[in-house]
Amino acid sequence: MGLLYSHFGAQDATYIFAVIENITLITLILGYVNVQIGIIGDSLILLTGLVTLSLLPQLGRLNSFIVKDVLLLSSGLVLLKSNLHSHKAATLSCFASTS
């Protein structure tokens, strides 16, 4: 994250994070229609949560900001598991219908 701040400055790095989070939101919504897009959205949730949790040593204490990201990370794992299961079932049914 420090790389973004040094290259773009604090304001532009914040805009970049906002764009990434909005892309994540859009992929999660589209994930209801297309499981593969949902898997991308779930992965972005996990990446966002891990990056934000990497700030924990700098914050020095546990607060609602960190609790929110722990919940975000766990919900991303649940969604990823569900979408991977749906993708596997769709793939298996595709192979079963072609043989």
Side-chain angles (χ1 to χ4, degrees):
M1 287 182 46
L3 182 69
L4 285 175
Y5 286 120
S6 64
H7 282 14
F8 298 109
Q11 187 174 7
D12 289 337
T14 303
Y15 289 140
I16 291 171
F17 290 135
V19 168
I20 292 170
E21 288 183 355
N22 283 320
I23 290 170
T24 303
L25 172 68
I26 291 168
T27 57
L28 287 174
I29 291 170
L30 293 175
Y32 284 107
V33 178
N34 186 334
V35 175
Q36 294 170 338
I37 295 174
I39 291 171
I40 293 170
D42 302 337
S43 301
L44 286 172
I45 283 181
L46 294 176
L47 183 65
T48 303
L50 289 174
V51 167
T52 308
L53 284 177
S54 71
L55 297 173
L56 183 61
Q58 296 172 356
L59 294 174
R61 61 186 174 91
L62 186 67
N63 58 14
S64 60
F65 181 71
I66 298 300
V67 172
K68 172 197 65 101
D69 286 318
V70 170
L71 291 173
L72 179 71
L73 198 61
S74 60
S75 64
L77 285 171
V78 170
L79 286 171
L80 182 63
K81 179 183 175 186
S82 174
N83 282 337
L84 286 174
H85 180 68
S86 298
H87 184 265
K88 180 180 175 183
T91 305
L92 289 176
S93 68
C94 178
F95 284 127
S97 65
T98 60
S99 55

